[in-house]
Amino acid sequence: MGNGFVIIILMSRRTSWHLADYYLFQLALSDLLLGLTLPFWAVQYGYGWLFGQVPCKILGALFTINMYSSILLLVCISLSRYFSIVHAKEFYKKQRRIHMILMCVFVWGVSLFLSWHEFYFREVGNTLSDKVICLYNFNPELSNSLRISLHLTELTIAFIIPMTFMLFFYSRIFCTLQASRLNPSKRSQLVIVVLLLVFFFCWAPYKSLQLIDALQRMGYIARNCHFEKMLDVGLEVTEILGLSHVCINPIIYAFVGVKFRKEMFRIFKRLSDQVTNSNVVLSREGTIFTDPSYSKIM
């Protein structure tokens, strides 16, 4: 709902979009598409996979594409804010629409490329308990090495690199705002700290367990049946925490902005005016019976 509302507000905006608005729109779209795939996995968890082979591959790819693009677009937003605040004087020299287009093509291209294994390995098959699910059908001899590669790739591209860039950009922004005499309040600095902490605490537990799983598969951690069961449960629980970030994004990246809130209030006011005008028309056409607790038009 939050990401859908962000898209509606941006599309109904009367003023022209800033470059950061294009990133925000794509972030909301990516998070929305990622969220729309989750009910299918929930059905699989409870009843098995009921949707066939082609949806299995498509939904797996959509999940991976939008997970990567969502995180990489956060870096794009931090980069845009970095130029607009730290290099404000050269802002128009540093950022052009063509740069934004190239960045978006890069983000979606990388995300699409990193989803290749979903198209190639995803298949509908049976588990040991004879439950039909959408799973990775790896070659048994290569299964371990492929899972290690996927874990380390996701850990690097979807956490370590984005966290490093965001930490650099937002720390520079924080220092610039701290030194600026035009920004006496601490609200902007607080928002920056919240952005970094929310991203870290949402994704760090899941990525840490992915690293442990990869190290165990590589033989650096001794294998233990009980420990592996706990690790499987931990990966499922922490993945939920990581995916909750797609619900938090519209709150911290859109609704905290003053201009965005004004646009939201304008839409609410327009809707309330329409409701009021429709009630006035109805009251002229019908009879109004008034009660101390309610009014009813007949």
Side-chain angles (χ1 to χ4, degrees):
M1 290 176 63
N3 289 294
F5 198 55
V6 170
I7 292 173
I8 291 172
I9 291 176
L10 287 173
M11 293 184 68
S12 62
R13 178 174 286 180
R14 294 176 179 176
T15 57
S16 59
W17 288 13
H18 299 290
L19 294 182
D21 292 332
Y22 290 96
Y23 294 132
L24 183 60
F25 177 83
Q26 292 178 82
L27 174 64
L29 182 62
S30 176
D31 287 343
L32 182 64
L33 292 173
L34 177 60
L36 290 176
T37 66
L38 298 182
F40 294 93
W41 306 116
V43 170
Q44 171 177 266
Y45 187 82
Y47 305 100
W49 189 258
L50 309 175
F51 311 104
Q53 178 86 342
V54 175
C56 169
K57 292 180 177 291
I58 293 176
L59 288 168
L62 278 176
F63 180 89
T64 302
I65 290 169
N66 290 296
M67 182 197 68
Y68 278 114
S69 62
S70 175
I71 293 173
L72 293 177
L73 284 166
L74 297 179
V75 180
C76 293
I77 291 174
S78 64
L79 175 64
S80 178
R81 289 177 174 174
Y82 168 77
F83 278 128
S84 62
I85 295 175
V86 178
H87 298 284
K89 294 181 180 179
E90 304 97 8
F91 176 65
Y92 293 106
K93 297 179 182 178
K94 295 287 184 182
Q95 275 196 311
R96 289 288 185 269
R97 190 178 296 266
I98 185 62
H99 296 153
M100 180 272 297
I101 294 173
L102 291 175
M103 285 294 294
C104 292
V105 169
F106 173 77
V107 166
W108 290 102
V110 168
S111 302
L112 181 61
F113 173 76
L114 292 173
S115 68
W116 69 270
H117 60 281
E118 299 287 349
F119 293 107
Y120 191 80
F121 291 112
R122 279 275 180 190
E123 290 184 5
V124 177
N126 295 333
T127 62
L128 294 176
S129 59
D130 207 30
K131 186 178 181 179
V132 179
I133 63 171
C134 177
L135 45 70
Y136 291 127
N137 187 20
F138 293 134
N139 185 319
E141 296 179 358
L142 301 175
S143 176
N144 211 41
S145 59
L146 285 171
R147 291 185 185 277
I148 292 171
S149 299
L150 291 176
H151 281 338
L152 294 181
T153 300
E154 187 175 323
L155 175 66
T156 304
I157 298 179
F159 185 73
I160 295 176
I161 292 176
M163 190 68 199
T164 303
F165 277 103
M166 290 170 65
L167 189 61
F168 170 76
F169 292 140
Y170 282 126
S171 61
R172 290 293 307 276
I173 293 171
F174 186 91
C175 293
T176 301
L177 293 176
Q178 194 76 18
S180 175
R181 297 179 180 179
L182 300 176
N183 190 56
S185 72
K186 301 297 181 181
R187 184 173 178 275
S188 299
Q189 291 94 317
L190 179 62
V191 170
I192 290 171
V193 174
V194 169
L195 291 175
L196 290 171
L197 288 179
V198 167
F199 179 80
F200 179 81
F201 284 113
C202 281
W203 283 111
Y206 178 63
K207 301 303 178 184
S208 299
L209 291 183
Q210 276 190 325
L211 178 61
I212 293 173
D213 184 64
L215 292 174
Q216 187 184 59
R217 292 176 183 276
M218 287 187 289
Y220 292 107
I221 299 177
R223 302 200 65 171
N224 179 280
C225 186
H226 178 66
F227 177 74
E228 288 184 13
K229 288 182 179 179
M230 291 178 59
L231 186 60
D232 289 340
V233 174
L235 284 167
E236 289 186 5
V237 173
T238 53
E239 187 179 26
I240 295 172
L241 178 62
L243 291 173
S244 68
H245 196 247
V246 306
C247 302
I248 302 173
N249 278 341
I251 299 174
I252 58 177
Y253 284 91
F255 296 143
V256 295
V258 176
K259 293 181 179 179
F260 197 90
R261 287 205 309 272
K262 287 181 179 179
E263 194 72 21
M264 181 173 61
F265 292 145
R266 183 185 66 80
I267 292 177
F268 278 137
K269 185 177 183 301
R270 187 176 64 187
L271 291 175
S272 63
D273 290 342
Q274 290 176 354
V275 172
T276 303
N277 292 335
S278 64
N279 288 338
V280 170
V281 172
L282 286 173
S283 65
R284 289 175 180 174
E285 295 178 351
T287 304
I288 302 177
F289 294 91
T290 305
D291 185 86
S293 60
Y294 68 97
S295 295
K296 183 176 181 182
I297 301 176
M298 299 182 66

